[in-house]
Amino acid sequence: MKKQMLSLFLALALTGCAAPGPGSTSAPAESGAAPAGSKAPASASQEESGYDRREAIERPEIGAEVVIDPPYDFDPAEMVPDDFGDYFTDCDHPTQVSTYKLAEGTDIENEVTVLQGEEEGPTIYIVAGVHGDEIAGWMTGNLVKKIGIRAGTVHILSPANRWGAEADPRVRYVTEQEDLNRSFPGDPEGNMAQRVADSIYQDIQRVDPVFLFDLHEARANAENKDFLGSSLIYTDLSEMSDMYLEMLMATESGELCSERFNFYGPGPIGSINNTVTTQLGIPTITVETYRGYELERRIGDQLDIVEYVLRYYGLI
Ligand SMILES: [Zn+2]
């Protein structure tokens, strides 16, 4: 059964059937709620925080009125919610932590954190919060800065769109209507979003990771717009098909995350996902969590996915 479903996923994914057009009614997002299968027991840290990521919550129907960013238990002004500090299991390895600047001394300066494990291993790059108001994305990036990895290297840029994340109220764009995720590979002489995109793209090219994470969030239902829901977006599966499909299967069976994740591809033109995949040949997954859920749940799901990939590549 499992193998059959995996083949089905593969067939759908590789033929591009998973990518819905605007207003599509065939998006897998519509079929709804988390599987009712058995849930793994909560870890000690989850019990302490009072948050159970496996708790089933019904997904609202398409078109239903949805509260974006419903109330949550911790202060959203905190860039890192403490409750999630020890969320990863077995991630307290001695780790060298350092930082460096992108576009140092300019108006688009930002900071990258580097985790270096004691053992040799591959490098993974995490870009979180390309959209400033997608808070579970960059809060997850900030949390990952606190873990200890066994091997390899992790670069973390979070929030990548710190201007949007620091605005009050927080906004998707870098400034005005400049969408960072339509500005890649960027332009050092362009508008602010294009310059930011260029600084990020150049750094990814320099670091040359084996894998890139792009942590986002999905908007609530809206007229004439795609409903992505919680999903994993790819542009090319050839370098990572096993891992990608195993992750989808794990969300389907209830072993990973709070619900079944959808799959879509390719990333839009000008997105970091599409550009890094096609121009640099680096496998990339964009993680989207649905903003109609409570923040704790969204961060929990993002951390689940990140942990899965770090483990897959042998970093933890
Ligand atoms: Zn986004």
Side-chain angles (χ1 to χ4, degrees):
M1 178 63 187
K2 216 170 176 182
K3 229 180 178 156
Q4 281 173 354
M5 291 185 72
L6 198 64
S7 307
L8 178 64
F9 273 130
L10 188 60
L12 285 170
L14 294 180
T15 54
C17 291
S24 164
T25 54
S26 61
E30 292 179 37
S31 58
S38 63
K39 302 292 184 185
S43 74
S45 63
Q46 286 155 20
E47 276 162 16
E48 278 161 24
S49 75
Y51 166 67
D52 179 1
R53 63 188 158 135
R54 308 284 178 192
E55 189 183 329
I57 303 171
E58 289 291 313
R59 169 178 278 170
E61 293 297 317
I62 297 292
E65 201 161 309
V66 169
V67 177
I68 298 179
D69 294 337
Y72 28 82
D73 288 340
F74 53 83
D75 180 358
E78 300 281 325
M79 300 292 266
V80 180
D82 281 339
D83 282 352
F84 290 85
D86 54 357
Y87 185 90
F88 283 75
T89 48
D90 192 28
C91 276
D92 51 357
H93 306 281
T95 296
Q96 196 181 321
V97 183
S98 59
T99 62
Y100 64 90
K101 303 285 190 192
L102 299 183
E104 188 161 17
T106 74
D107 62 329
I108 59 159
E109 180 177 291
N110 208 347
E111 185 176 270
V112 176
T113 299
V114 182
L115 310 180
Q116 178 84 56
E118 284 189 330
E119 296 173 30
E120 290 283 308
T123 297
I124 286 178
Y125 204 121
I126 299 174
V127 175
V130 159
H131 292 138
D133 59 342
E134 296 170 0
I135 50 181
W138 54 257
M139 280 191 170
T140 299
N142 288 353
L143 284 166
V144 177
K145 293 175 187 173
K146 297 175 29 163
I147 70 169
I149 57 173
R150 182 177 56 77
T153 308
V154 182
H155 289 239
I156 305 149
L157 174 62
S158 175
N161 174 6
R162 66 177 180 81
W163 305 271
E166 289 166 2
D168 184 18
R170 294 189 179 94
V171 291
R172 172 182 179 90
Y173 299 116
V174 174
T175 179
E176 304 293 333
Q177 296 291 305
E178 295 175 6
D179 189 338
L180 180 54
N181 212 32
R182 298 296 181 275
S183 303
F184 285 90
D187 178 355
E189 308 297 327
N191 66 30
M192 189 167 169
Q194 290 167 329
R195 290 188 292 122
V196 172
D198 174 69
S199 70
I200 297 170
Y201 182 80
Q202 297 294 336
D203 196 53
I204 293 168
Q205 185 167 33
R206 178 186 68 80
V207 171
D208 193 23
V210 297
F211 179 85
L212 175 71
F213 257 126
D214 172 36
L215 306 182
H216 282 250
E217 292 221 84
R219 62 188 157 217
N221 302 341
E223 290 282 325
N224 304 319
K225 285 186 176 170
D226 293 352
F227 176 69
L228 291 175
S230 298
S231 53
L232 302 177
I233 298 171
Y234 65 93
T235 294
D236 183 354
L237 283 181
S238 57
E239 299 277 324
M240 60 173 180
S241 59
D242 287 353
M243 180 183 74
Y244 185 87
L245 296 167
E246 283 168 24
M247 270 198 295
L248 283 177
M249 290 298 296
T251 70
E252 179 80 29
S253 69
E255 294 158 44
L256 186 73
C257 297
S258 64
E259 67 172 337
R260 178 173 61 79
F261 269 53
N262 305 308
F263 53 103
Y264 300 102
I269 300 297
S271 67
I272 188 170
N273 184 315
N274 190 304
T275 310
V276 167
T277 303
T278 56
Q279 299 195 18
L280 301 180
I282 296 168
T284 301
I285 290 178
T286 298
V287 181
E288 301 269 4
T289 44
Y290 174 51
R291 289 179 66 184
Y293 297 145
E294 289 187 358
L295 185 56
E296 291 93 328
R297 175 180 181 178
R298 291 140 55 193
I299 293 174
D301 282 353
Q302 298 241 0
L303 287 170
D304 266 4
I305 299 290
V306 172
E307 181 178 7
Y308 192 100
V309 170
L310 294 184
R311 205 173 294 288
Y312 196 94
Y313 280 96
L315 275 68
I316 59 176

